[in-house]
Amino acid sequence: MDPQTLTELLDVSVLDRLDRIEDLPADELARSSALRKEGYSAEVTAGLLTQAQLRKDAVKKLGPFAEDMLFTRDGLAQATRLPVAAHHARRLLGEGKDTGGDADDTGESADSAPTIADLGCGIGADSFAFAGMGAQVTAVDADEVTAAIASFNLRHLANASVEHARAEDIDTTDFDALWFDPARRTVGKGSKSGSTARIFDPEDFSPSLSWVIDKAIAAKAAGVKLGPALDHSLIPDEAEAQWVSHAGEVVEVCLYFGTARQRPGRSALVMGDRTLLVHEDDLPAEDEEGVGELGQYLLEPDGAIVRAGLVTALCGPLQARRVHPKIPSLRKALISRGIGKVVIKKRGADIVPDQVRRQLKLPAGDKATLVFTRLGDRHVVLLTQPC
């Protein structure tokens, strides 16, 4: 969305039409025709229809609050689900800590509330949770349109403000806590539609991961939201890395620092009808890792547990066993064959393809496909070429 279209959408009469858009026929073409007859330009009509659809799509993440918000497609795709955002807020503010509630109800001034800088706020979902739990929030985003949308979405919260600025330009020294969500996508080369592409090098994130971690380590409390495919080697010693799944879908890994860190190392949080927390301290000793034959049941662990590398932590509590030992590195064998790029497929293997691909760290070379699978009672890796 360009700034001019957003400016037109923010007109009071246009927003009122958006709130009443269900009065129009359900068919999109008929809706478009009706809006044009009412005098709306093609750009505003398209914007209204897009926002109406995004509000419907956002209910899964943001519940009834979505009906009063504005979005971009990428902003909604990257927005934190509200229950997960509430978890972020509890971690930054201290588990069970009394944050003073609503300042208007308690008589507390905004100055006495904990302060949080949300650096890379997107459409404002995390800031919504931070402010809703009583913090004084400064939300920052480098994109002009995104910052304006966040400002709209947070307009009912007097203890939240939004700045259009780069995270690197914000003085973070006086905040009680910092929250980082570095941009991990960029507009594709030659893109005319604004479509984005994923960034794989953490130093190309905006801001870079090294800058973020330096700031997080220096903060009183900090959290860094990243994609769940994060390479374990990038986790600093000062952090707790927590992979989170919600309603069966792995949504993120967060690095927590300072007072927001509960235990160093890796953990997995499974959120849903029931909550499960697994930490690497729960892993059995290497000589206690049982390997055996298939039993009556086959358990597929939640994706957050797999991503965190904590599958064997379930063996003791569930009286379960693994069906194969660890698969050794393939790097040497692949390099000896001149292979530098791999597509990884799995059939019956508890690996994370993105993690394996990054851990291989192959030099330039030919392309091949690896299939992690079983051959009888053995686990094997098949090196294949298309024919």
Side-chain angles (χ1 to χ4, degrees):
M1 186 190 307
D2 61 83
Q4 179 58 37
T5 300
L6 177 60
T7 298
E8 295 184 59
L9 281 176
L10 290 174
D11 182 273
V12 174
S13 64
V14 177
L15 288 172
D16 177 67
R17 195 67 188 94
L18 176 60
D19 292 338
R20 296 182 296 105
I21 203 161
E22 294 303 320
D23 298 343
L24 297 174
D27 178 75
E28 186 165 324
L29 186 59
R31 269 189 182 179
S32 177
S33 178
L35 289 169
R36 293 304 306 277
K37 287 181 180 178
E38 291 179 16
Y40 294 104
S41 68
E43 292 78 11
V44 172
T45 294
L48 284 168
L49 296 177
T50 297
Q51 290 301 318
Q53 184 59 51
L54 290 176
R55 281 183 170 183
K56 287 184 178 180
D57 297 341
V59 170
K60 180 181 177 180
K61 284 190 171 185
L62 301 167
F65 297 107
E67 298 175 1
D68 194 36
M69 300 175 72
L70 293 178
F71 305 94
T72 63
R73 291 191 186 279
D74 283 340
L76 176 57
Q78 296 161 33
T80 304
R81 301 179 186 203
L82 203 54
V84 181
H87 172 67
H88 296 162
R90 287 191 290 270
R91 291 296 297 261
L92 286 195
L93 297 172
E95 190 71 32
K97 178 181 178 181
D98 181 8
T99 62
D102 190 310
D104 290 336
D105 292 337
T106 64
E108 275 195 322
S109 68
D111 290 340
S112 65
T115 57
I116 297 179
D118 183 355
L119 303 171
C121 67
I123 63 164
D126 279 302
S127 286
F128 195 91
F130 299 153
M133 293 183 71
Q136 184 71 29
V137 180
T138 299
V140 178
D141 202 277
D143 181 74
E144 179 184 6
V145 168
T146 303
I149 287 177
S151 184
F152 177 85
N153 292 339
L154 297 169
R155 67 195 184 281
H156 298 306
L157 295 165
N159 53 330
S161 61
V162 180
E163 295 184 23
H164 169 217
R166 295 167 68 246
E168 298 93 327
D169 297 332
I170 300 298
D171 182 359
T172 59
T173 54
D174 292 331
F175 287 96
D176 295 312
L178 306 178
W179 181 253
F180 299 93
D181 188 356
R184 301 179 295 280
R185 301 188 70 87
T186 186
V187 176
K189 293 181 179 179
S191 172
K192 296 181 179 178
S193 62
S195 61
T196 60
R198 184 178 300 173
I199 300 172
F200 292 98
D201 186 346
E203 290 310 295
D204 289 335
F205 293 170
S206 181
S208 69
L209 184 57
S210 60
W211 182 90
V212 167
I213 288 176
D214 285 345
K215 289 291 185 180
I217 290 173
K220 301 172 187 175
V224 183
K225 176 184 171 183
L226 298 166
L230 180 72
D231 191 322
H232 290 191
S233 67
L234 296 175
I235 302 171
D237 294 337
E238 297 87 347
E240 174 187 353
Q242 185 173 83
W243 277 260
V244 179
S245 69
H246 179 263
E249 183 179 350
V250 186
V251 294
E252 66 183 27
V253 58
C254 283
L255 305 181
Y256 291 104
F257 299 81
T259 59
R261 184 188 74 168
Q262 294 176 342
R263 284 191 288 177
R266 290 171 284 120
S267 66
L269 178 65
V270 182
M271 303 177 70
D273 295 334
R274 296 181 179 181
T275 299
L276 173 66
L277 177 64
V278 181
H279 190 272
E280 68 173 285
D281 289 347
D282 303 322
L283 291 171
E286 195 167 326
D287 58 358
E288 296 175 355
E289 293 183 355
V291 178
E293 296 300 319
L294 288 172
Q296 184 177 2
Y297 297 98
L298 178 66
L299 169 67
E300 182 179 9
D302 182 89
I305 297 174
V306 175
R307 293 276 189 176
L310 302 176
V311 171
T312 57
L314 302 179
C315 290
L318 298 177
Q319 297 183 327
R321 56 188 176 270
R322 295 182 299 143
V323 295
H324 69 90
K326 295 179 179 178
I327 299 173
S329 172
L330 297 173
R331 187 173 188 271
K332 186 175 180 180
L334 294 173
I335 292 175
S336 69
R337 290 166 171 79
I339 295 168
K341 186 176 182 180
V342 292
V343 175
I344 298 177
K345 299 180 181 293
K346 62 175 184 174
R347 298 293 184 271
D350 62 349
I351 65 159
V352 180
D354 285 343
Q355 281 186 9
V356 173
R357 187 180 299 107
R358 285 195 302 275
Q359 290 167 358
L360 289 172
K361 297 181 180 178
L362 297 171
D366 296 333
K367 183 178 180 180
T369 298
L370 300 179
V371 181
F372 287 71
T373 187
R374 289 177 64 94
L375 185 60
D377 60 356
R378 293 184 299 132
H379 276 259
V380 298
V381 182
L382 305 179
L383 174 59
T384 70
Q385 295 283 2
C387 60

